[in-house]
Structure formats: structure tokens, C-alpha cells
Amino acid sequence: MKTFTCTCKDHQLLFFESSYCVACHRTVGLDDTFDKVEPYELAPETGQYFKVAQPNVYFQKCDNHANFKTCNGMIKLNPSSPSTAKHEVLCFACRFNETIPDLSIAEHIPLWQKMEIAKRRALYTLKALSLPLHNLSQDPDGGLSFDFTTDRDVSDHFASQLKGSEAVFTGHDCGHITINLAEADDVARSHTKMAMGEQYRTLLGHFRHELGHYYFDKLILESPEKHTLSKKYFGDDELDYQKSLNTYYENGAPQNWRDAFISEYATMHPYEDWAETWAHYMHIIDTLETAQNFSITSSIAGNTDAHEELTDLNLPQDAYFFSSQASITSILDTWMDFSIILNSLNRSMGMNDAYPFVLTQTVRTKLSFIHHAIHGRLNRMPELMLKGE
Ligand SMILES: [Zn+2]
Ligand SMILES: [Zn+2]
Ligand SMILES: [Zn+2]
């Protein structure tokens, strides 16, 4: 993730989540291009916003921004019908929401805010990678939508069942991603994490995992050739899913799972292996982009050769991100070095490792497959495999 700078005289640093500049007190936000957080002036006579560079183009806050502070979206007003006040006005990210939490329960609002922060960050990286990203009104059959709902009671950190509600399962189904609101509650999520013996469980991780299932359908199942190729790397996904699930919960992951999988859950079924690996690819790209934004990656490793390679990482904002096999190799090598620094920083703060995972050669190859699938360059994978073996 990048950071941004306000245009005020203090050049105040703005974050992706910022909705206000602490130096000049202006509203800041993201318009529908979803790539830049910037300040807006308020026209007091109309209550509308504009950017200094475009004084005749008016914006208003997304309703969720104005009413619930769940986003920082700004929407360009249509000059022919500038008054949109009668209609619900939602920003790029909020238009993906199909179901939002029950807001008659006040405690749901701060949890919904956390959901939206994670969702927006996940969407940002997808957009930066130029992945297809359409909501249901743009693509009723193949679009993406989110349901944020719960079957549990917020008042006891989601331990008890909410009377009269249907069971809610976090998951993906044909473009509909459901995330149980309980996952936004730190107590509830930590409880599940401990109970399941997981090393890592975050809201952002949930979004990226479920989005991985969505993009498997989009990028792999769209073509029989790609599907056949994917089975070579992730295994036969036509295996009975329910049977695999039952076996996994009965027996757990095999002893040697680390040799070929990024997580224990990835061993459950090839679909889950893809989704887990996809989520890690997104974590790696986002975190390295953040490090690069703060000029950290260029200082990793001492030798000059490594230095040159690291300054040429080609992350999403660079034009050559996907241009060569070298880029994924250098991304993963840099990530190996950087994750050691990241974990060491966490230990200095008395925290658990931020990235408690190992990337074996098999896992690197799967990450490389995802990299090439995103870039539409899977035809280069067999060649890469031969080189890597
Ligand atoms: Zn400012
Ligand atoms: Zn919004
Ligand atoms: Zn899954």
C-alpha cells in the first residue's frame, strides 16, 4: 500500500484510510478511480466538495462515509443532475456491498468499520493489479458482492446464537462473499484462532482468501487448458470437497504439510490450497509495496547486486511489474529477506511474528503460478517449472 501527501503547506502524510487531514483540517478521500487519497475543498453554499485543481467538478461524500464513517469514498456528481441527495450514493468500494450488518444494533457499527477497512485494502491491491473487478450492477452474472452479516450475538462477543437467525458461514459462492461479522470482533476471532490452532487469522486474510476463490473461477475455470494446468500445481480440484473437508477435520493436516503447502488448511482441498496461496500472494505484494513506499526494500541486504535487484522490484505501481520471470523470483527473494526483518521488528515489540510461514520451493512455484495467472501468462509456466526443477 502506498501513502499519500496532502497539498497543504505541511505536506501532511495521508494514509489509505484517512478521511481528514490533521494539519489543514480538510476532508480527504478516495474517488472512484480508487488509487489516490487527496484533499477536498468544501463549497459552503452548496455543501459539495471539489479538488483545487478542478474547481468546477463537484463531489459528495459516499453515504457510508457521511453517515457511518465506514469509508472515505468521494463520488463525482453528474453535472446534468447535481442533486443526488434523494438517492443512496455509494462509492466504488461500497457498491460491492449486498448485505451490510444490522445497524439497529449499535455495536455492529464499529465492527462494520473494521470490515470495510479490510475490504477496501483487499480491493485496492486487486485494482492495482488490474484484475477484473465489477460489482453486481455492472455484471449481474459474474460480478462480485459482499454480505456482512451474523448469526451470533455481539453482546457476548458472538459466543451465543442470535435467536431466529439462519446460520452464517464465511465463504464464497459464485461471486458472493460472506464474512461473518464475528470475524471483526477481536475477542471472537482470537478465540477461534486459538481453538483451531492457527498461527494467523485476520479480517484482511479472510477477504483475500475468499477473493482467491472468486478469482480461481475467473482466471482458471474460464479455460479448460488453464484448469488442466492448475491441477498440475495444486492437485485435482474435482476431488469430493465435502469428503476432503470431513477428512481434514477428522485427521488434520499431514505431518509434512510444510514441504508443499503454505498452511495446514491449504492441505484440505486444492481449492483451499489455491485460496490460501492467493491470499499470501496478496499479503506479500501489499506488504512489499508498503515497504517500497517507505524506501525500506532498497536497503534490505548488504551487497550491491542484491541492492540493484531490490530497487527494481516492479511492484504494482510500476509499469513492468509482470514483465518477466525475474520479477516473481526477485519479489519472493526480497520477501524472504523482508519477512525476517518484519518478524524481528515484531519481536522487539514483544509481539508474535507477523509472518510465521515458510516458503519452500513448492510453495514458491505455486505463488509463481498465481503471479502468472494474474498476468495472463500461464503459457510460460511449464517452461518456468523446467527451469526451477
Ligand atoms: Zn492537509
Ligand atoms: Zn463508501
Ligand atoms: Zn476457502
Side-chain angles (χ1 to χ4, degrees), residues 67-195:
N67 301 332
F68 304 106
K69 296 187 170 63
T70 50
C71 78
N72 56 357
M74 301 295 290
I75 302 131
K76 194 193 280 187
L77 295 173
N78 183 346
S80 57
S81 58
S83 174
T84 52
K86 290 193 201 86
H87 307 286
E88 189 182 50
V89 179
L90 296 176
C91 68
F92 169 79
C94 290
R95 290 196 294 269
F96 288 94
N97 292 350
E98 191 70 356
T99 312
I100 59 164
D102 178 357
L103 301 183
S104 68
I105 301 170
E107 296 95 321
H108 283 177
I109 297 174
L111 300 177
W112 181 34
Q113 287 167 340
K114 289 187 190 177
M115 284 278 201
E116 292 294 337
I117 287 173
K119 184 191 83 182
R120 292 161 68 76
R121 182 170 282 260
L123 293 181
Y124 170 85
T125 308
L126 300 175
K127 198 143 195 296
L129 292 169
S130 303
L131 281 157
L133 196 52
H134 300 115
N135 61 42
L136 282 185
S137 54
Q138 293 167 314
D139 182 358
D141 299 323
L144 178 67
S145 66
F146 293 99
D147 293 325
F148 302 143
T149 180
T150 190
D151 52 351
R152 321 286 300 175
D153 190 343
V154 66
S155 65
D156 62 0
H157 293 290
F158 299 90
S160 59
Q161 198 73 33
L162 203 59
K163 281 192 190 88
S165 70
E166 283 178 32
V168 172
F169 297 101
T170 292
H172 165 261
D173 182 21
C174 302
H176 297 282
I177 290 177
T178 304
I179 313 265
N180 195 318
L181 194 62
E183 294 294 342
D185 181 281
D186 291 341
V187 173
R189 193 182 58 259
S190 304
H191 184 265
T192 313
K193 181 182 167 202
M194 302 306 284

Side-chain angles (χ1 to χ4, degrees), residues 171-172 209-210 213 241 265 271-272 275-276:
H172 165 261
H209 175 102
E210 301 308 337
H213 287 305
Y241 187 88
Y265 190 62
Y271 281 156
E272 300 308 335
E276 286 286 273

Side-chain angles (χ1 to χ4, degrees), residues 345-356:
L345 290 172
N346 263 27
R347 290 176 194 185
S348 292
M349 288 296 295
M351 314 262 290
N352 292 335
D353 286 355
Y355 195 76

